[in-house]
Amino acid sequence: MTRKSRETSDLYYYVNDIPNISAIFFYGFQQMLVCISALLITPYLVSNLLCAGVETTAVRVQLISATFITGGIATILQSTFGLRLAILHGPSAAFFPALHTFGDLYPCNSDTDTTQWRERLQLISGSLFAAVLIMPFLGLTGMVGRMAKHIGPITIVPMLILLCIGVIPDIEHKVSLHWISIIEILILIAFVVLLEEYEVPIPAFSMEQKKFNTMKIKLFSQFPYLLGIMIAWFACWILTISDLEPYGSSARTDRNDSLFVLENTPWIQIQYPLQFGFPRLSAPLVIAFTASMLAAMIESIGSYGICARICQQGSPPSSSMNRAFVVEGFGSMLAALMGVGTGVTTYSENIAIMQVTKVTSRITMQCAGVILILMGIFSKFAAFLAMIPEAIIGGVLTAGMSMICGVAFSNLQSVDLRLSRNLTIIGLSIILGCTIPAHFEKSPLHSGNKTIDDIFGTLLKMRMLVGGLIAFCLDIIASGATRKQRGFEDKLEKIEISVEKNGFALSSFANQTILKIPSLTKLPIVPSEKSIRRIEELRMKVIDHKIVSQ
């Protein structure tokens, strides 16, 4: 099947297209705005686990800045050198189960020394760093590319569903802080579901016509989280100045610690690796983070495939997948050293926005990465965001995880759901993925060996890991379905794209450099010599055709 031409395709900008500067900025700014709510969730969660007492808000500011900078760097690297599609990276929710394990191992109570928060963060950072080292190794050895051929929607869907189920206690805790979180949820439902197609008329000045015109924008569907946070935050401010909320309420905007931090935070503050001290290790925590890392990798395999389909690029080549995980591993290692608390992953929200806007240009996502870095450097902005009442974050978390749950089900569109085999595997993995961890939470493992109890006790409590392994194993060994019926793309139906629109292809400079050292093509992260020469031959034909046309 040949890819549709520009005239008949529904994409406005392809991966390699470069819009004008103003369009690049606004599309990039929009992508950055979409991910802000997800970027804020992790710093709030990690700062609460550190038991920092009165320093919690100040620590949160630093973590927000570190998260923005890390996400920006990882985004630029992934879209430029990794998968080379419009990919935005940020903290992965797949690591939340490991953070819950940390909370169980080192709970906050009345006896906790609040001055030891750095040691707690060093423990999280060191254990996370040790775990994510495996990710670039798997990419460099080519194991990811081979693994990806056997991980399909029947494995990915239960894992994403179990991820959402695992975050429910966090959602319940934050939503129960104040009724404003319910208002935030209702606002987001109205924007995303009810007003998605509504076009808001906005005046805009035309430089060509030298006058104001009215342009219609689907404002609610493109900026639901930003608008939702602003409205709920404004409502909290009204409740504060009118004294309708008592002092100390989680909905007040004048909490003393937040105001103090905002006033005393410098305008510019550079976050850097190891700023919180040298990392330390905890064996049970390393195991928990390793399990979360494997779950995050499987989630990313699915996300990369979805992104490639939206960008009309077909299935990612093995070399691109291997390279993507090397870069994702580097981003996760940087996140660990910066104290972010989780590895990085692709944000499904940003992929969904591309499907809405039909803009898949790589440079717009690179612009979003630059904006994220700048926002992280200007720490006053991070301090301002840290003032958002935690109850509002509860509403945002609810909506964000709802979208992830929806994206999970979207993976089923390529699976033959008429086969009882497929339905049974999906159902079993979700039910057992909930039941087995629930059993071991109530009845901890007692083998007589503490090390074994700590390691396997931690693994057996992780829903994503248990359910994902069950789904993967059953999908591999159970007969009764072809690869196509299991949701894998048929090789005969792969999309063919022109060389100008091939987002996976490396630049001519990179290809020529690789061809000068043929041994490089033996590396799993580098395309084969045959494919590189084919790309360059096609590029030469395009150039020759243009010369003849002129």
Side-chain angles (χ1 to χ4, degrees), residues 37 126 184 451:
S37 56
E184 172 72 3
T451 303

Side-chain angles (χ1 to χ4, degrees), residues 501-519:
K501 298 170 184 175
N502 189 334
F504 298 122
L506 299 175
S507 65
S508 288
F509 175 78
N511 282 340
Q512 295 298 338
T513 303
I514 292 170
L515 289 176
K516 291 177 182 177
I517 313 173
S519 57

Side-chain angles (χ1 to χ4, degrees), residues 54-109:
V54 295
E55 294 186 76
T56 298
T57 305
V59 174
R60 187 174 294 157
V61 170
Q62 290 182 277
L63 294 182
I64 290 174
S65 292
T67 300
F68 276 47
I69 292 173
T70 302
I73 293 173
T75 295
I76 294 172
L77 292 177
Q78 187 63 266
S79 55
T80 307
F81 304 108
L83 194 66
R84 289 181 51 78
L85 299 183
I87 292 289
L88 191 140
H89 273 329
S92 172
F95 290 86
F96 286 0
L99 292 176
H100 292 155
T101 299
F102 174 83
D104 294 338
L105 294 172
Y106 307 97
C108 296
N109 51 50

Side-chain angles (χ1 to χ4, degrees), residues 341-362:
T342 73
V344 299
T345 192
T346 305
Y347 277 1
S348 55
E349 296 96 319
N350 293 89
I351 295 176
I353 284 296
M354 289 196 298
Q355 191 167 18
V356 174
T357 62
K358 308 302 179 186
V359 175
T360 64
S361 172
R362 179 192 300 115

